[in-house]
Amino acid sequence: GQQVMQIPQYQHVQEGEDFTTYCNSSTTLSNIQWYKQRPGGHPVFLIQLVKSGEVKKQKRLTFQFGEAKKNSSLHITATQTTDVGTYFCAGPLLIQGAQKLVFGQGTRLTINP
Amino acid sequence: DAGVIQSPRHEVTEMGQEVTLRCKPISGHDYLFWYRQTMMRGLELLIYFNNNVPIDDSGMPEDRFSAKMPNASFSTLKIQPSEPRDSAVYFCASSMDSMGNQPQHFGDGTRLSIL
């Protein structure tokens, strides 16, 4: 069935290193959303990408939507301890005849200070 | 504006007991979602409502789970009887859209432990 897959599942970096998580869909997406969940917290919406090849930046975070609108990435430059958490991508997929927002399994980022 | 409000934040109870989780969505959001999050299965959509009407409950695990939305500002998720495997974090979220074209706003969640 249609699904959204994220890699890696876990990533541990030294503070100051860069971090990238990748999101792949089995089908073309009308948009992709990214969320961040801090440890013990709840998912918080970060950004939505809509256009093919779109790139958006939020300070040290860079979000890309692939040309085919089937993949996306989140890149964090020079990680800080405040970046710790799980990053989820989510996209609208057709599940059992209904369009729903489907979340990837997330990439859990831990940082060594 | 207040975000999505869930209660209780934590619940510990013995198996067999009834558990009721509560949610107040953001005012003006027509869609309300209930999710369950576990390490093994990630974030699972259980059910969602549109204008207080249940639209898709295909994610509800079994008949022990039920959800209601009596009005636009209140929803409950009930588990009866509860079992240890129901232990998880339950999130409520609301949105202006169900089809993934608008962001979802999550509550703080209810951390449920069934002993």
Side-chain angles (χ1 to χ4, degrees), chain A residues 59-90:
Chain A
K59 296 182 181 179
R60 294 176 295 103
L61 277 61
T62 302
F63 303 84
Q64 289 189 320
F65 200 11
E67 294 290 340
K69 301 182 75 172
K70 295 180 73 172
N71 57 72
S72 181
S73 65
L74 159 59
H75 180 83
I76 303 178
T77 304
T79 55
Q80 299 176 359
T81 54
T82 53
D83 297 324
V84 165
T86 301
Y87 293 85
F88 294 94
C89 65

Side-chain angles (χ1 to χ4, degrees), chain A residues 10 30-31 33 35 37 40-43 45 48 88 92 96 99-101 103 105 108, chain B residues 35 37 39 41-43 45 56 58 91 98-104 106-108 111:
Chain A
Y10 302 97
S30 60
N31 72 84
Q33 299 179 11
Y35 293 75
Q37 184 176 17
H42 59 275
F45 174 76
Q48 182 179 39
F88 294 94
Q96 295 177 332
Q99 185 165 318
K100 303 177 187 180
L101 186 65
F103 284 80
Q105 284 291 88
R108 184 176 175 188
Chain B
Y35 288 90
Q37 187 177 44
M39 289 295 291
R41 301 175 67 92
L43 201 58
L45 177 64
D56 182 354
S58 59
F91 288 108
S98 71
M99 300 200 302
N101 299 313
Q102 295 288 334
Q104 293 189 4
F106 286 77
D108 288 337
R111 281 150 182 79

Side-chain angles (χ1 to χ4, degrees), chain B residues 67-111:
Chain B
K68 293 182 179 179
M69 192 165 185
N71 58 63
S73 59
F74 183 66
S75 177
T76 60
L77 178 67
K78 192 171 290 188
I79 308 173
Q80 167 64 19
S82 58
E83 297 182 4
R85 59 192 169 124
D86 302 329
S87 298
V89 181
Y90 291 81
F91 288 108
C92 175
S94 71
S95 177
M96 298 173 67
D97 173 87
S98 71
M99 300 200 302
N101 299 313
Q102 295 288 334
Q104 293 189 4
H105 300 265
F106 286 77
D108 288 337
T110 295
R111 281 150 182 79

